[in-house]
Amino acid sequence: MGIVWASIATLGVLLAGGLLTWWLEPRLLKAFGSTEPGPAAPLDIRKNPRPSQADPLTYYGAPIIALFGVVWATVCLPWGPALIPADVNIGLFYFIVVVDFVVLAVALGGWGGNTPGSVEACYRIVAQLAAYVVPLGLAIIGPIMMARSLSTVHIVEAQRDAHLWYIAPQLPGFVLYLVTGLMQVYRAPFLEPFAACIDRGVLGACGGWPGVLWRLALAGLLFVVAAMGAVLFLGGYAGPWLPGWLWMLIKTLAVMVLMLWLGHRVRLRGTADMLALAWKFLIPVGLANVLLVGILILLGVGQGPFPLVGSAP
Amino acid sequence: MIAPVVEWIAFGVFAFIAVAGALGMTTTMSMFRSGIFLMASFIGVAGLFILLLADLIALLQVMMYIGGMLVMILFMLLFMHDPGGAMMSTHMSLKGPEKWFSLGLARRQTHGKHPHGQHEGDHGGHGDDMPMQDMSMYTAIKRPAAILALLTGALLIALLVWRPHWAVVHALPDQDSPTRIGELLMGKYMIAFEGAGLMILLGIFGAVLVQRPATPPPAPDRDQLKAAIDETPPPIEDDTLEPEVLDLREDEDR
Amino acid sequence: MTPIPLTAFLIIAAILFAIGLYTILAQRTAVMVLMGIECILNAVGLNLIAFWRFTAPGDYSGQIFTIIIITVGAIEMALGLAIMMLLYRNRQTVQVDDYTELKG
């Protein structure tokens, strides 16, 4: 795709996915009976809180950076064999890095808001980054090893050629991805940076257009992380009768519903509990997952014929 | 691959971000902005790496330094008297690059307190009567250091411009960098790879052990400390920020 | 137009090196000195990748070397921050002008 069409397509996909998630999430939360919406807290258009001592550079720049991070993450999501804005050669690594930009944005916005709640959110978000990044890497390594490529299109094509969705041999990896995905998107049980006790962190210090951008970015983030889970473990756009993008949408929504439902079954964790969980439990599970996937690869699971699209791996 | 004009424009943009970020880190009055500017400088250099067709290293640089700089900023906020720079930029008259990189930090003198410097209430001791002497961020050798740095930079650039040619090769690198790097790391440079891993482990142990208190607190205190950590903190009373923090106003143009 | 020459990247690295040098010498707090060191490491990494690309693009050892340097830089920063925290705890100050035990 040309650069202009690719940019327009990326923005369109993100807006569609983000608005869909923004509309869908409160209804899902009500269906699951949750009391703590976290980042999905409703936006009250009539109130427009604006801290009087905000640092204008970081306060207004932060939601823009968050939105950029999510837009860049949409670039490597495949909706069909050729329906991808840019098939980045190192797509998955690129995905982890650009989702880090959302963390940076919340830290900047938290500091810039200059209210006690938002500065507390700045600290909590950095703690959450330290918690999720290593287990996420270990969860993602499994499909990369089986597909022998970092590119998202290659991973989907490898699942299609092997007639095996990677969730089947890598169930621990999938559960690990769900848990670290919840940490990445700051939904229950890991919603400390956006908890009600600190006035919803950055969301409580913003109103008007920064508030809208923040909520769009956070909804888009949930959409993008769920979509990447569908690509890695559920076979992306591969499927029999329906067109590719419809399969991808269905799988993304399935992963999203699963993440939210599992999240709301568990009680909320504080930051210290989350860090302990990540470092003491999730990392050993992740390492065991890598070992398991290695054994499976040596036994020949998931190693279908590899005539992959595009350049050779 | 890309037209040379586009390459030069991209080079100009990323080089500007890298150099302006480094300058901003040095000259701004706010510690937080220093960290952010250094992060921007690293991202500029990562852009230059992408121009040099080293995309994996560019992403690695961005990932490591976003995390690293955020943690460094958090450490800075714990120890500095004025991490936001509000006090220094309100009370000192700034000139040149310091002024430009510290825009937006000075506070109106509507009250005697300084909001930015006091948000960390429990790292207190920064009371109302902050001694106004000696707030500068620079050592006494600022002027000679600047001259030395300028001379070093000029010397290096002169050497680069007037040096005879390097043995430049015009081949393009192999596009499949993950595979090649993986093969090298697991093959030829296995010892370096494992050594780096061991060093990271030693660094983690060392950092934790260095800053641990020498003896644990005595037993009765330990229970009190644990209870103090577990209970919910009291709400912030006597907070000077409270009246003017949230400017809740009805949105006028609806 | 000619493609970007090697010297352009090296000049940017030299400028970053000079700014980092100034930061190390002129800043008063230990954390800023650490940031100056990181700036110099940044310049070194840029030099390495520029030389890799222009003199030996077929051999990926240049990128391996850069990975190791970035890793070592991160470790050194973490240890530097831990030491600085210990110094603060003992002396209640982080300004390098006040660490004068070895003087004279």
Side-chain angles (χ1 to χ4, degrees), chain C residues 40-84:
Chain C
I40 288 187
L41 279 175
N42 198 15
V44 166
L46 180 59
N47 257 347
L48 271 172
I49 295 291
F51 272 113
W52 164 77
R53 161 77 174 89
F54 283 99
T55 54
D59 181 11
Y60 269 71
S61 307
Q63 292 204 6
I64 305 278
F65 202 9
T66 312
I67 293 177
I68 303 287
I69 289 206
I70 291 178
T71 308
V72 170
I75 299 172
E76 155 256 325
M77 184 172 80
L79 280 173
L81 285 174
I83 292 178
M84 191 199 77

Side-chain angles (χ1 to χ4, degrees), chain A residues 273-291:
Chain A
D273 283 342
M274 177 187 65
L275 280 168
L277 175 75
W279 282 84
K280 292 185 199 168
F281 182 66
L282 291 182
I283 290 185
V285 167
L287 291 172
N289 177 46
V290 171
L291 185 63

Side-chain angles (χ1 to χ4, degrees), chain A residues 106-186:
Chain A
V106 175
L108 282 181
W111 173 261
N114 201 15
T115 67
S118 62
V119 174
E120 175 84 19
C122 170
Y123 274 84
R124 289 183 180 182
I125 204 92
V126 177
Q128 196 135 349
L129 171 70
Y132 82 67
V133 74
V134 179
L136 178 68
L138 290 173
I140 280 185
I141 284 274
I144 295 176
M145 281 164 71
M146 270 200 177
R148 302 190 184 173
S149 170
L150 281 167
S151 154
T152 48
V153 174
H154 285 191
I155 291 179
V156 175
E157 290 297 321
Q159 289 180 68
R160 171 188 285 189
D161 292 334
H163 302 289
L164 179 71
W165 287 359
Y166 285 158
I167 184 176
Q170 296 183 33
L171 195 57
F174 181 62
V175 173
L176 193 62
Y177 184 83
L178 287 180
V179 176
T180 54
L182 281 173
M183 284 185 191
Q184 259 186 315
V185 300
Y186 323 113

Side-chain angles (χ1 to χ4, degrees), chain A residues 213-241:
Chain A
L213 282 186
W214 271 119
R215 281 170 175 80
L216 184 63
L218 288 167
L221 183 64
L222 175 58
F223 183 75
V224 162
V225 168
M228 190 52 82
V231 162
L232 287 175
F233 291 99
L234 292 180
Y237 56 77
W241 309 289

Side-chain angles (χ1 to χ4, degrees), chain B residues 193-216:
Chain B
F193 176 56
E194 297 292 337
L198 189 65
M199 198 162 33
I200 294 176
L201 186 66
L202 292 177
I204 293 177
F205 282 171
V208 170
L209 284 174
V210 156
Q211 57 85 38
R212 225 172 62 149
T215 54

Side-chain angles (χ1 to χ4, degrees), chain B residues 4-5 7-8 11 15 18-19 22-23 25-26 31 34-35 38 41-42 45 48-49 51-54 56-57 60-61 64-65 68-69 72 75-76 79-80 134 136-139 141-142 145-146 148-149 152-153 156-157 160-161 166-169 171-174 176-177 180-181 184-185 188-189 192 196 199-200 203 206-207 210-213, chain C residues 1-12 14-23 25-32 34-36 38-39 41-43 45-47 49-61 63-64 66-75 77-79 81-86 88-89 92 94-97:
Chain B
V5 179
E7 251 191 339
W8 274 104
F11 175 77
V19 172
L23 262 180
M25 171 207 37
T26 314
M31 295 289 187
S34 267
L38 187 61
S41 175
F42 277 115
V45 169
L48 289 176
F49 284 173
L51 275 178
L52 288 167
L53 304 177
L56 196 66
I57 305 294
L60 186 74
Q61 165 124 332
M64 295 211 43
Y65 285 113
M69 284 307 123
M72 189 181 253
F75 271 84
M76 256 193 305
F79 301 131
M80 298 297 134
D134 219 5
S136 166
M137 280 175 53
Y138 301 106
T139 56
I141 60 168
K142 176 178 168 189
L148 175 66
T152 311
L156 286 173
I157 293 180
L160 287 171
V161 168
W166 278 280
V168 172
V169 167
L172 286 178
D174 185 2
D176 191 23
S177 45
R180 300 290 302 275
I181 291 183
L184 276 177
L185 276 178
K188 189 167 160 194
Y189 295 109
M199 198 162 33
I200 294 176
V210 156
Q211 57 85 38
R212 225 172 62 149
Chain C
M1 292 183 76
T2 64
I4 308 176
L6 170 62
T7 319
F9 291 101
L10 299 181
I11 289 178
I12 301 291
I15 297 176
L16 285 175
F17 183 87
I19 295 176
L21 185 65
Y22 169 68
T23 308
L25 292 175
Q27 287 285 348
R28 206 178 216 183
T29 48
V31 185
M32 295 301 293
L34 278 172
M35 292 221 255
E38 289 299 314
C39 194
L41 279 175
N42 198 15
L46 180 59
N47 257 347
I49 295 291
F51 272 113
W52 164 77
R53 161 77 174 89
F54 283 99
T55 54
D59 181 11
Y60 269 71
S61 307
Q63 292 204 6
I64 305 278
T66 312
I67 293 177
I68 303 287
I69 289 206
I70 291 178
T71 308
V72 170
I75 299 172
M77 184 172 80
L79 280 173
L81 285 174
I83 292 178
M84 191 199 77
M85 212 159 112
L86 197 59
Y88 179 76
R89 212 178 268 169
Q92 310 305 320
V94 281
Q95 306 201 326
V96 294
D97 290 343

